[in-house]
């Protein structure tokens, strides 16, 4: 994963109608089974006591565990696994429901030949099975593929997914779905999998200096979900907890900056306006080199925005059984939210 308001006889009808709708919605919610889950997206699996306590207190037993990425290797002119996970705490994972997850770059899909898709799928399954066996995961019932495919890569990507399903029909195959793939469903296509997972984040134009917050904005979310209730796959859903800073140089996108605390951005070398930091001089911070005139857009996953987005999505997902995930399992990220706030995100869907 290497991204979203007379006449009393006349008044009686809408009142009664609203009551019936409310009753129906209440009945649906009462019948729902919502599984709590979380993503782990780092290359070394070793949880702190704080992270384990969070999983326990929030009653999270399902972890989407990224095993590796598949990227294009220019030296061999072929796809190759990178960032393969190293698991330091096998015993802990053996107690959890693990959903092995693989991220495939769109560049890799673009560059492979049509004849290579089956080979890519076979190699993915072989490596996933090997990692699962070595670490003695519980019986794997689902695997997930994450790829921000485009209209130009969908045929090859979908071919990989079809082969994955053919290799083991007993395993459920899920795929991540971006918001733009919902809005432009006719162009993007629908992946040939058992179900999708809707990513309710990375919904704005990251590289546009005028964007307010590319991670999550409910006004932006509303632009993408008119087709959501008609999407032909059952959908799980994920919400962001992470934050980052977006660097712009000479008005152009220049990369993402992570783990740069706001407190070290002294007013002696930056000016601050809303969520933007403009550098007044060349500066070195936490190993990052900034130039005079650079600016950072400070983007966070606001609790209020997450809750607002969750309420909107809740009204669009009629499914009785689905999974609600948070991204991602990390002490620094989780420490910015109280247990009550994280509980509230999950509870919206009950």
């Amino acid at each position: 994963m290497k991204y979203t308001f007379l006449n009393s006889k006349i008044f009686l009808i809408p009142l009664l109608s609203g009551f019936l709708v409310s009753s129906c919605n209440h009945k649906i919610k009462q019948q729902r089974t919502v599984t709590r889950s979380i993503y782990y997206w780092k290359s070394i699996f070793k949880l702190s006591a704080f992270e384990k306590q969070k999983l326990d207190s929030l009653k999270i037993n399902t972890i989407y565990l990224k095993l590796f990425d598949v990227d294009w290797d220019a030296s061999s002119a072929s796809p190759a696994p990178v960032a393969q996970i190293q698991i330091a705490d096998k015993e802990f994972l053996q107690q959890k429901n693990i959903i092995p997850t693989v991220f495939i770059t769109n560049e890799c899909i673009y560059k492979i030949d049509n004849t290579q898709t089956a080979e890519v799928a076979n190699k993915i399954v072989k490596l996933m099975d090997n990692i699962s066996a070595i670490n003695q995961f519980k019986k794997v019932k689902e695997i997930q593929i994450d790829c921000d495919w485009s209209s130009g890569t969908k045929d090859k990507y979908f071919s990989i997914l079809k082969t994955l399903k053919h290799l083991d029909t007993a395993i459920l195959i899920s795929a991540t779905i971006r918001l733009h793939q919902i809005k432009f469903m006719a162009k993007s296509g629908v992946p040939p999998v058992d179900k999708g997972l809707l990513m309710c984040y990375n919904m704005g134009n990251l590289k546009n200096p005028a964007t307010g917050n590319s991670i999550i904005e409910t006004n932006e979310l509303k632009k993408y979900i008119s087709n959501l209730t008609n999407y032909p796959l059952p959908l799980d859903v994920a919400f962001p907890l992470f934050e980052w800073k977006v660097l712009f140089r000479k008005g152009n996108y220049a990369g993402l900056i992570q783990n740069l605390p706001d407190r070290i951005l002294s007013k002696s070398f930056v000016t601050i306006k809303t969520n933007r930091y403009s550098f007044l001089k060349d500066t070195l911070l936490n190993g990052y080199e900034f130039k005079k005139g650079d600016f950072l857009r400070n983007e966070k996953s606001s609790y209020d925005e997450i809750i607002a987005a969750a309420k909107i999505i809740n009204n669009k997902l009629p499914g009785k059984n689905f999974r609600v995930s948070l991204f991602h399992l990390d002490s620094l990220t989780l420490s910015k939210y109280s247990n009550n706030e994280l509980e509230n995100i999950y509870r919206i869907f009950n």
Side-chain angles (χ1 to χ4, degrees), residues 137-235:
F137 295 163
K138 288 181 182 178
K139 181 176 174 58
V140 173
K141 299 178 181 179
E142 176 183 346
I143 63 174
Q144 183 172 96
I145 306 299
D146 178 25
C147 179
D148 189 7
W149 81 90
S150 63
S151 57
T153 59
K154 70 175 180 180
D155 290 341
K156 286 184 283 187
Y157 176 53
F158 290 2
S159 178
I160 291 172
L161 295 176
K162 288 175 182 176
T163 303
L164 287 173
K165 185 61 182 174
H166 178 73
L167 290 172
D168 190 344
T169 56
I171 294 287
L172 187 148
I173 308 293
S174 64
T176 54
I177 312 292
R178 270 72 173 173
L179 285 162
H180 69 87
Q181 292 157 351
I182 296 286
K183 181 175 181 177
F184 305 109
M185 180 169 51
K187 184 178 180 180
S188 297
V190 177
V193 292
D194 298 296
K195 66 176 180 175
L197 182 138
L198 178 64
M199 295 168 52
C200 287
Y201 48 94
N202 297 356
M203 58 187 66
N205 187 340
L206 175 72
K207 298 182 179 181
N208 185 346
T211 297
N213 184 341
S214 69
I215 297 176
I216 182 168
E217 279 188 321
T218 50
N219 287 335
E220 194 68 21
L221 173 66
K222 293 173 184 177
K223 298 175 184 178
Y224 286 87
I225 57 175
S226 59
N227 291 330
L228 187 54
T229 53
N230 299 319
Y231 200 73
L233 286 177
L235 291 173

Side-chain angles (χ1 to χ4, degrees), residues 63-202:
I63 300 174
Y64 286 94
L65 186 69
K66 184 175 75 72
L67 301 188
F68 54 90
D69 300 341
V70 179
D71 203 355
W72 184 256
D73 179 22
S75 62
S76 64
S78 64
V82 295
Q84 182 173 326
I85 195 166
Q86 300 175 43
I87 297 176
D89 194 346
K90 297 179 183 179
E91 291 185 3
F92 182 82
L93 277 182
Q94 289 164 7
Q95 304 167 29
K96 299 297 180 181
N97 174 33
I98 302 303
I99 301 176
T101 303
V102 172
F103 173 70
I104 309 177
T105 68
N106 195 43
E107 179 190 15
C108 180
I109 302 294
Y110 180 80
K111 289 186 175 180
I112 63 173
D113 187 85
N114 286 321
T115 61
Q116 292 179 289
T117 57
E119 178 186 358
V120 171
N122 276 277
K123 286 184 176 180
I124 287 173
V125 168
K126 185 176 181 179
L127 185 51
M128 291 178 84
D129 285 348
N130 186 47
I131 295 172
S132 298
I134 289 173
N135 294 286
Q136 300 177 318
F137 295 163
K138 288 181 182 178
K139 181 176 174 58
V140 173
K141 299 178 181 179
E142 176 183 346
I143 63 174
Q144 183 172 96
I145 306 299
D146 178 25
C147 179
D148 189 7
W149 81 90
S150 63
S151 57
T153 59
K154 70 175 180 180
D155 290 341
K156 286 184 283 187
Y157 176 53
F158 290 2
S159 178
I160 291 172
L161 295 176
K162 288 175 182 176
T163 303
L164 287 173
K165 185 61 182 174
H166 178 73
L167 290 172
D168 190 344
T169 56
I171 294 287
L172 187 148
I173 308 293
S174 64
T176 54
I177 312 292
R178 270 72 173 173
L179 285 162
H180 69 87
Q181 292 157 351
I182 296 286
K183 181 175 181 177
F184 305 109
M185 180 169 51
K187 184 178 180 180
S188 297
V190 177
V193 292
D194 298 296
K195 66 176 180 175
L197 182 138
L198 178 64
M199 295 168 52
C200 287
Y201 48 94
N202 297 356

Side-chain angles (χ1 to χ4, degrees), residues 58 303-304 307 336-346:
L58 292 168
Y303 169 70
D304 290 339
I307 289 295
K336 295 171 183 175
Y337 302 87
S338 69
N339 271 16
N340 186 56
E341 288 175 331
L342 296 172
E343 277 283 349
N344 287 342
I345 298 170
Y346 286 120

Side-chain angles (χ1 to χ4, degrees), residues 255-320:
L256 292 174
I257 307 294
Q258 295 179 314
N259 301 323
L260 186 66
D262 296 351
R263 65 179 181 274
I264 70 172
L265 292 166
S266 167
K267 291 183 180 179
S268 64
F269 53 82
V270 299
T271 58
I272 303 172
K273 185 177 181 181
T274 59
N275 67 333
R276 283 163 166 73
Y277 301 88
S278 298
F279 285 83
L280 302 173
K281 59 184 178 180
D282 292 357
T283 308
L284 178 64
L285 286 175
N286 278 24
Y288 294 107
E289 293 184 8
F290 300 103
K291 301 293 184 183
K292 180 180 179 181
D294 286 355
F295 83 84
L296 293 173
R297 186 173 65 223
N298 194 17
E299 299 190 348
K300 300 176 184 286
S301 300
S302 154
Y303 169 70
D304 290 339
E305 286 283 0
I306 297 169
I307 289 295
K311 288 179 179 178
I312 292 169
I313 295 298
N314 182 42
N315 291 328
K316 292 280 188 176
L317 289 181
K320 297 178 182 177

